[in-house]
Every structure is written in structure tokens, then in C-alpha cells.
Amino acid sequence: MADTIYALSSGAPPAAIGVIRVSGPEAGRALTALAGRAIEPRHASLARLRDSSGELLDQALVVWFPGPDTATGEDLAELHCHGGRAVIAAVERALGAMDGLRAALPGEFTRRAFANGRIDLAEAEGLADLLAAETELQRGAAMAMAGGGLSRLVDGWRDAVLVLSAQVEAALDFSDEDDVDALPEHFSKDLGAVHEELCSWLERPSAERLGEGFRVVLAGPPNAGKSTLFNALCESEAAITSHIAGTTRDVIERSVAIAGIPFTFIDTAGLREQTGDEIERIGVARAREQLDRADLVIWLGPETEGPEDCWEVEAQIDRLAHPVKNDPVFRVSAVTGENLDLMKRALVKRARSSMPRPGELALNVRQRALVADAAEGLSASLSVSDPLLVAEGLRRARLAFDRLIGRATTEDMLDALFGRFCIGK
């Protein structure tokens, strides 16, 4: 029998309300002991909570959810207490003193929901992403995943492959009979359609782009205005600005959201070939490494000397003696804000083209690897004519789909996934 677990499932106290969740076979007994009476199922009830000595702990709303039709698939109780630290601590002490109850581990409620078939692995990953979402774009993608969007997609792929597998098995089982002696004429076309759909998903932007943000590197020689523009884009004084060459010695990163799109802006040391400062030399080397990782480079140096596909930007236009460019993408002043909003709107448009659209599913690294494995299995089936080899490629695809949504997985992988969750979720 599983332990009964409890934890604060709302935000850290102090708060107006603190929700303590109890899940497991002893949840009903624990709730009755605290409330001093049986609680009507699935109705919010006002109760005075007391510990084993009869001391009043709090007056709270309590809800009793008999399993298995609950969030975790087990008996579940919720205590909606006042959110002070002392109140929460007192109720948790009372729960911990009861036989068969213990404090929950990180992600244990969600792991039980997975183990009891309330959610699958893809939905659990979506829930983890939803809890970590910081921008509207991240929230939309996580909601689509947590709502079962990927799971339904994978089920469709798996059903299609199962039909194809049945056709191959029929050809193998009845190859000596007249009625079934070959694969159907449409077999290759149907198989190719599934393979093509998988490949199209692999070409989409990854979920990690939502977390990392669109990487924009500001680069150019010393005193080109990089740090001032960086601060203006981040709307903070993250970087020290000075007219002294070489003020920025290291890479500075800041993650911000603009119009709901996550960005990572990177300020870099001024690029120059010769410097007698060892620390600045290291900073220049790191700046060049950032250029290779950038989704976009905003080049504030001499025209045509920036990396390929960079944005030529004429900065410091508030200064009379600023370097002029013949054909810049933008002319901006980070000091006066001239054309800065125009640049931000263009950045948002550029970033959206390389990120999942709002509310669109996005595959993470694990999911992409398994979809790629399934696609390779189907590709192998397309390239051979021997039914046994065709069947093996289809089996590989089915196994990848099962691992994707958790029908076949390992404890180590589950530990890593559910360890991402906070205690109480």
C-alpha cells in the first residue's frame, strides 16, 4: 500500500490562503481526525481543525475527494487554511504526527497521477513547463502540452503504425495463401505519409527556444554604444557604461520578455585585435564565442565588418560625431529612445518567425529524440521490401511512441522529470 503524503501546494507563506494537500489511503482518516467529523465528498465545508490533543489549529475550508477520480488517482483531501507561517506549520505538524502519513517529495503528487494513469508522461512534462513558464509564449505552449495535445498526436501516429503493422503481419502469416500474398498497394503511401508528418514536426522550433529565449548579441568595437543599447533593450542598468574603452570585460546576459516573447540579450566586450589587458583579451575571446551562438547579431561596428546576416545598426545618433552607416537596418539612440520601439517591434517579429506560435505544441529534447527515432524506424521500413525488415522498422517506431508518452520508460528518467517539480505538486 502506498504511503499517504502531504504538502503545502500553494505559494510559500505568508499568504492569504495556504492549501495543504493530502493524498493516499489515509487521507480520509486524516481529514476526519483534524475536522472532528466526516466531510461530505466533493463539497467545500467549513471546519475547525484540531490536533490530537484537541488544540484548535485553524478554521479552514476543507474538501474531500474520494479516489480514484481525483487529480492523483487516490483518495485526496485539501485543507484551505489561513496562510500564515505558524498556521501552516501547526497543521503540517499535526499531519506528520499521524500514523501512515509523511511529507511529500518534490513532484510526488504529479508522479502518482502519472503512475495511476491520470496523466501521461507528455502531459506531465507540459505541467512542469507550465509551472516554470515566465512568458505568455511559454505558457501557451505548456498549456497545449499539459492539455494532452502531444499525447493525442502521438496516439494518432501510433494507431496508424499499428494498422500498418497489422497489414505486414497479415502478409507474413498468410503469405502461402491466395487471399493475402503481398502488402496492399497503398501500404507504402500510407507509411510515407506518417513518416513525412514526423519529419515535419522535427523541423519545427524546439521547446528549449522558449526557455532560452531568442539570443541577441550586441557586438562591435569598444565605445560603440553596445552597453548603453543593451541597458535600453533590457530596461535596466545591467551593464556599466563609460567612455573608457574596454569597460565591458566579460559577457553579460539578461533574459527579458518583449510582447510576450522571451529574449536573451548579450552584451559583449569590445572587439579589437590588440589589447595589453589579459582580462580584456579573455573577454574578447568570449565575445567571439557568443557570435557563433547568436540567433541574431546587432552589429554596432564599421559597416560590412560584422558577421554574416547581422543587423547593421547605426547607434548613438544623439551624438553629432557618431559613426554613420550608409545602409543600416536601424538608426537608434539608446539615450533619447529614438527608434528604439521600432527596433523592438522588429526584434519581436524576427523572434516569432523562429519560435513556436502562441499555443502551438513544441517538442523538447527528449521528445524530439524519440520522434526522430520513430522517423528513422519508418524510413528503414520504406527502404526495404522484406516484410520481416519492414515489421522491425514499424516495431521500432511503436516503441519510440510508447516511450514518448510513458507506456515504456525507466525509473531514472522519471526521477529526473518529477524532480523538476516543487514540493506539493
Side-chain angles (χ1 to χ4, degrees), residues 109-124:
F109 289 96
T110 307
R111 185 161 186 165
R112 290 190 176 198
F114 167 73
N116 293 323
R118 300 300 295 173
I119 59 174
D120 63 32
L121 199 57
E123 290 169 324

Side-chain angles (χ1 to χ4, degrees), residues 122-123 125-126 129 140-151 361-363 367:
E123 290 169 324
E125 288 176 305
D129 291 340
M143 281 294 295
M145 187 71 70
L150 179 60
S151 304
L361 286 169
L363 304 179
Q367 293 160 353

Side-chain angles (χ1 to χ4, degrees), residues 103-311:
L105 300 173
E108 194 166 6
F109 289 96
T110 307
R111 185 161 186 165
R112 290 190 176 198
F114 167 73
N116 293 323
R118 300 300 295 173
I119 59 174
D120 63 32
L121 199 57
E123 290 169 324
E125 288 176 305
L127 183 56
D129 291 340
L130 185 62
L131 295 176
E134 296 182 352
T135 67
E136 182 63 19
L137 201 60
Q138 292 170 329
R139 184 199 65 79
M143 281 294 295
M145 187 71 70
L150 179 60
S151 304
R152 290 188 291 274
L153 191 66
V154 173
D155 282 340
W157 294 336
R158 190 175 185 277
D159 288 345
V161 171
L162 281 172
V163 170
L164 294 169
S165 298
Q167 293 172 359
V168 175
E169 293 300 325
L172 289 170
D173 290 344
F174 302 105
S175 57
D176 294 331
E177 300 182 14
D178 294 336
D179 55 344
V180 183
D181 58 2
L183 294 172
E185 292 183 4
H186 55 79
F187 179 86
S188 294
K189 180 180 178 181
D190 294 343
L191 176 56
V194 180
H195 177 259
E196 184 178 344
E197 185 174 356
L198 296 185
C199 291
S200 71
W201 274 89
L202 292 173
E203 293 172 358
R204 295 189 179 198
S206 68
E208 283 68 32
R209 295 301 302 274
L210 296 174
E212 296 170 358
F214 189 76
R215 294 183 67 84
V216 179
V217 174
L218 284 75
N223 282 351
K226 299 183 298 299
S227 295
T228 304
L229 181 57
F230 172 82
N231 287 341
L233 290 170
C234 297
E235 297 184 359
S236 73
E237 297 299 318
I240 298 172
T241 60
S242 168
H243 294 300
I244 300 173
T247 299
T248 301
R249 302 294 190 91
D250 202 355
V251 171
I252 301 175
E253 295 191 12
R254 284 294 182 274
S255 296
V256 299
I258 303 176
I261 304 295
F263 285 88
T264 297
F265 289 106
I266 300 99
D267 186 22
T268 59
L271 298 176
R272 54 180 171 179
E273 297 300 327
Q274 301 296 327
T275 175
D277 189 316
E278 178 62 23
I279 295 177
E280 185 183 358
R281 187 157 44 245
I282 295 172
V284 171
R286 291 181 177 178
R288 296 190 187 281
E289 291 174 359
Q290 289 296 326
L291 297 181
D292 295 332
R293 296 179 56 199
D295 295 312
L296 174 66
V297 174
I298 294 179
W299 179 249
L300 277 63
E303 199 163 13
T304 74
E305 293 185 13
E308 187 178 358
D309 296 327
C310 68
W311 275 9

Side-chain angles (χ1 to χ4, degrees), residues 397-419:
R398 293 199 310 273
L399 178 59
F401 294 147
D402 287 345
R403 292 171 61 194
L404 206 159
I405 57 178
R407 289 194 178 104
T409 188
T410 66
E411 285 298 311
D412 288 344
M413 191 276 291
L414 293 177
D415 289 343
L417 168 61
F418 292 108

